[in-house]
Amino acid sequence: MKVLILCTIGTPQDPSRQSVKKYLQNFLGDKNIVSVPQPFRYLLTRGIIIPSKLNDSHARYQQLATRFQGQLPLRLYVDELREEMQRENQQWRILSFMQYSGEQISSLVNQIEAESEVEQIILLPLFAHETFGSYYASLGKIPQLLRNRLPHIPLKVVPPYYNHPTYIRLLQQSLVSATLPKSDLYVASFHSIPISHWKRGVEKGFDYKEQCEETAQLLFDALPPESAKEVLFQSSIKPHRWLDPIIEKEMYTWVDKGYKRVSVICPGFAIDCLETLLDIGEELRAKYIAHGGEELHLIPCLNSKQEARALYFQLAEESLVS
């Protein structure tokens, strides 16, 4: 039996105020997210950031949940992804773990220990690009605890797959099939990160911005050469410096450039969530149309589609022999 663990940052347990508050405490309490040493991180997040953000965050999650019968889409799609992958392939035991959603790593390890004859464990972050705040944060302390509790079972982590041919092909298919009739502008939007995180990554040997740009270039190869294309970043938080150009600012230039119909794809997100559905699909779209645009089309993430499931099995199998 091989075990595949789908790792993600997670989402609140539900859209209630208490669940959102707990999620923010877990999320912002991680040094991968707020890189300030303790006890200053605790004082900053619990005393300033969360009290100032909680009302807005709660309202946004409530708004998002109304589109999914009271559920949050990230949890809905991850559950569906895990269940469908398990149904399709009995050679693997499929598990999932949401890092900041209140789940316990010890419970995850207990599930693996309950399995008989586990010969390999694969951790698959549902993030194609390498960042401290997503790829590495989704892993958290899982590798360390697994190695401590189950030292006899080989453990591997799927490497970032931002330029993997199958991943790129699926993105290209999504882009081409979902943008008919033709758009005036095609945008690849990636989650921005603090400049300090980006520089720290470069020092460690990986460049998140270059990875995003490579994904976008490969993705855009599916479009006619004359198509207008932009690589942008989203969801930055003031007042800190984040990777730019920022889509929320660049949007105001599109109409003046003659871009009345815009298609946006978010390759860094495996699953649709608040940052794609609400930030881009609703709020940015409303602002763009109010500014004179005709249509902004958000291309769905891979979510739990069959093609996505096949990709994750492929990545896991390739990790076994790498």
Side-chain angles (χ1 to χ4, degrees), residues 43-299:
L43 297 173
L44 175 64
T45 57
R46 300 292 181 103
I48 299 176
I49 298 178
I50 293 176
S52 67
K53 298 289 186 181
L54 182 55
N55 287 340
D56 179 62
S57 294
H58 177 226
R60 286 161 58 77
Y61 278 111
Q62 289 275 354
Q63 181 183 348
L64 183 63
T66 61
R67 277 73 170 163
F68 292 86
Q69 293 75 50
Q71 300 186 68
L72 295 175
L74 180 58
R75 182 172 299 280
L76 188 69
Y77 284 128
V78 168
D79 288 347
E80 186 175 276
L81 179 64
R82 182 190 65 248
E83 293 166 3
E84 287 299 310
M85 289 181 70
Q86 189 63 79
R87 183 184 61 80
E88 291 172 347
N89 194 329
Q90 299 301 313
Q91 297 180 12
W92 288 87
R93 176 74 164 96
I94 310 298
L95 302 173
S96 62
F97 190 81
M98 294 189 174
Q99 193 65 234
Y100 305 119
S101 298
E103 300 176 5
Q104 300 298 315
I105 301 177
S106 57
S107 297
L108 180 71
V109 178
N110 291 340
Q111 292 183 69
I112 299 173
E113 288 181 325
E115 297 290 337
S116 60
E117 300 181 356
V118 175
E119 60 192 55
Q120 182 82 51
I121 301 173
I122 301 291
L123 300 178
L124 172 54
L126 293 179
F127 296 96
H129 304 81
E130 202 169 0
T131 71
F132 295 109
S134 58
Y135 180 88
Y136 289 111
S138 72
L139 293 169
K141 297 180 179 180
I142 298 176
Q144 175 185 339
L145 190 56
L146 286 173
R147 290 188 175 105
N148 290 341
R149 291 270 300 270
L150 304 171
H152 59 289
I153 303 178
L155 172 67
K156 290 189 177 182
V157 178
V158 174
Y161 52 95
Y162 58 92
N163 58 1
H164 191 283
T166 303
Y167 165 70
I168 296 299
R169 175 174 55 79
L170 295 183
L171 292 178
Q172 290 177 335
Q173 290 174 352
S174 296
L175 179 66
V176 173
S177 63
T179 54
L180 297 174
K182 181 178 178 291
S183 295
D184 300 319
L185 172 67
Y186 298 89
V187 176
S189 179
F190 298 87
H191 202 301
S192 187
I193 61 173
I195 293 292
S196 59
H197 285 206
W198 170 59
K199 289 182 177 179
R200 185 155 59 100
V202 172
E203 292 172 358
K204 294 289 185 179
F206 63 89
D207 190 324
Y208 172 67
K209 188 172 185 179
E210 283 190 359
Q211 292 179 5
C212 294
E213 291 170 346
E214 182 174 352
T215 297
Q217 181 58 58
L218 293 169
L219 165 64
F220 287 152
D221 283 346
L223 298 173
E226 67 274 12
S227 300
K229 318 169 190 76
E230 292 185 0
V231 181
L232 303 175
F233 296 89
Q234 66 177 84
S235 306
S236 62
I237 301 175
K238 297 177 181 179
H240 305 290
R241 291 183 59 220
W242 290 57
L243 285 182
D244 54 20
I246 299 297
I247 192 171
E248 290 89 348
K249 295 180 180 179
E250 294 299 311
M251 175 271 297
Y252 290 105
T253 70
W254 292 342
V255 172
D256 292 339
K257 294 176 181 176
Y259 304 146
K260 292 298 187 74
R261 295 178 56 85
V262 177
S263 290
V264 180
I265 188 169
C266 302
F269 295 89
I271 293 176
D272 276 309
C273 55
L274 185 142
E275 284 85 354
T276 61
L277 297 170
L278 205 61
D279 286 358
I280 303 297
E282 294 193 20
E283 295 178 357
L284 188 76
R285 179 178 181 273
K287 292 176 181 178
Y288 173 61
I289 291 175
H291 195 66
E294 294 179 1
E295 183 56 76
L296 188 149
H297 175 57
L298 172 65
I299 298 170

Side-chain angles (χ1 to χ4, degrees), residues 298-315:
L298 172 65
I299 298 170
C301 295
L302 297 178
N303 294 322
S304 57
K305 291 170 25 176
Q306 192 280 327
E307 295 86 350
R309 303 194 298 269
L311 167 66
Y312 300 141
F313 277 127
Q314 179 182 356
L315 293 172

